Amino acid sequence: MMARAVLSQADISRALTRISHEILESNRGSSDLVILGIPTRGVILARRIAETIARIEPDAAPPPAGALDVTMYRDDLTRTRTRTPQPTELPAGGIDGKTVVLVDDVLFSGRTIRAAFDALNDLGRARAVRLAVLVDRGHREFPIRADFVGKNLPSSTRERINVRLAEIDGDDAVAIDDTVAAEGGEA
C-alpha cells in the first residue's frame, strides 16, 4: 500500500481560508449563516471555517457551527459497516430561514450528502443549502456538486482518500492510498 501526499497542513489551511472567503462572498456576509459539519472530520472542518469567517469579519457576529449526523439516513445501512451515530448539534436559532453550509471532508458518491438533505428536512426549513468539501474526488452516483471545494482530486475508485486532521489524527494532511476503497464508502 503506497500513500501519496496531496495536501499538507499549509495547503489545507489555505483551502479553508479560500472556502471561507467564498462562503462570505456568496452569502454577502455572515448574517443568517449556519455551518454544519458531517461527522467526523466534517465537524472539525466546519468549526475551522466558522472560526476563519469570524476572523475575516471581526465586527459581525460569528456564524454558529454545529454537527449533522446522517448515519441513520443513509440508504446503504444494510450493505456496509456504519459508524456509531453521533449527536446532531444545531445552533440555538435552528436552521429555519438560514443559509446552511454543509461541510464534509471528501465528496465521493454523493450518498452522504443525499442523507444530509433528508436529515436537514427533519430539522427545519433552511432558506438555502450549500456544500463545502475539502476534497472532491468525483465518481458521483447522485447529481450532487459542491459549491465550495478545497481541492478537486480525480482518483480511481480503487484508491482511498485519507484526510488527517490534527484534532483527531495529530496532524493535518491528505493522502491517496493505492488500495481498494471500502465498498460503498465515501472516502
Side-chain angles (χ1 to χ4, degrees), residues 26-67:
S26 171
N27 197 60
R28 300 181 196 267
S30 62
S31 65
D32 291 329
L33 191 61
V34 173
I35 316 284
L36 293 179
I38 297 171
T40 300
R41 287 166 181 80
V43 174
I44 294 165
L45 295 171
R47 288 183 187 132
R48 289 186 188 184
I49 288 170
E51 290 166 3
T52 302
I53 288 172
R55 282 194 305 273
I56 295 168
E57 290 200 344
D59 295 335

Side-chain angles (χ1 to χ4, degrees), residues 69-83:
D69 184 74
V70 302
T71 305
M72 300 313 293
Y73 291 89
R74 292 191 61 93
D75 65 356
D76 56 359
L77 286 173
T78 59
R79 301 179 70 211
T80 63
R81 189 179 81 240
T82 59
R83 73 181 74 179

Side-chain angles (χ1 to χ4, degrees), residues 4-163:
R4 176 172 45 99
V6 290
L7 292 176
S8 68
Q9 184 278 328
D11 296 328
I12 292 170
S13 179
R14 279 191 296 274
L16 294 178
T17 299
R18 180 175 34 79
I19 288 170
S20 299
H21 279 280
E22 290 173 356
I23 290 169
L24 284 170
E25 186 174 323
S26 171
N27 197 60
R28 300 181 196 267
S30 62
S31 65
D32 291 329
L33 191 61
V34 173
I35 316 284
L36 293 179
I38 297 171
T40 300
R41 287 166 181 80
V43 174
I44 294 165
L45 295 171
R47 288 183 187 132
R48 289 186 188 184
I49 288 170
E51 290 166 3
T52 302
I53 288 172
R55 282 194 305 273
I56 295 168
E57 290 200 344
D59 295 335
L68 179 67
D69 184 74
V70 302
T71 305
M72 300 313 293
Y73 291 89
R74 292 191 61 93
D75 65 356
D76 56 359
L77 286 173
T78 59
R79 301 179 70 211
T80 63
R81 189 179 81 240
T82 59
R83 73 181 74 179
T84 302
Q86 311 225 348
T88 288
E89 299 169 2
L90 286 184
I95 64 167
D96 289 335
K98 307 279 173 62
T99 295
V100 173
V101 178
L102 291 174
V103 181
D104 206 1
D105 57 350
V106 178
L107 178 57
F108 184 23
S109 67
R111 290 186 179 278
T112 297
I113 304 309
R114 189 220 43 88
F117 292 150
D118 289 346
L120 277 176
N121 282 335
D122 282 352
L123 298 172
R125 189 173 194 301
R127 180 172 47 87
V129 179
R130 305 283 181 252
L131 176 59
V133 297
L134 181 60
V135 174
D136 183 344
R137 66 173 294 187
H139 305 288
R140 221 68 82 235
E141 296 172 8
F142 287 89
I144 291 171
R145 72 168 180 79
D147 299 282
F148 315 105
V149 178
K151 174 90 171 162
N152 284 298
L153 196 57
S155 58
S156 161
T157 56
R158 299 188 57 78
E159 296 172 316
R160 181 163 180 84
I161 307 296
N162 288 319
V163 175

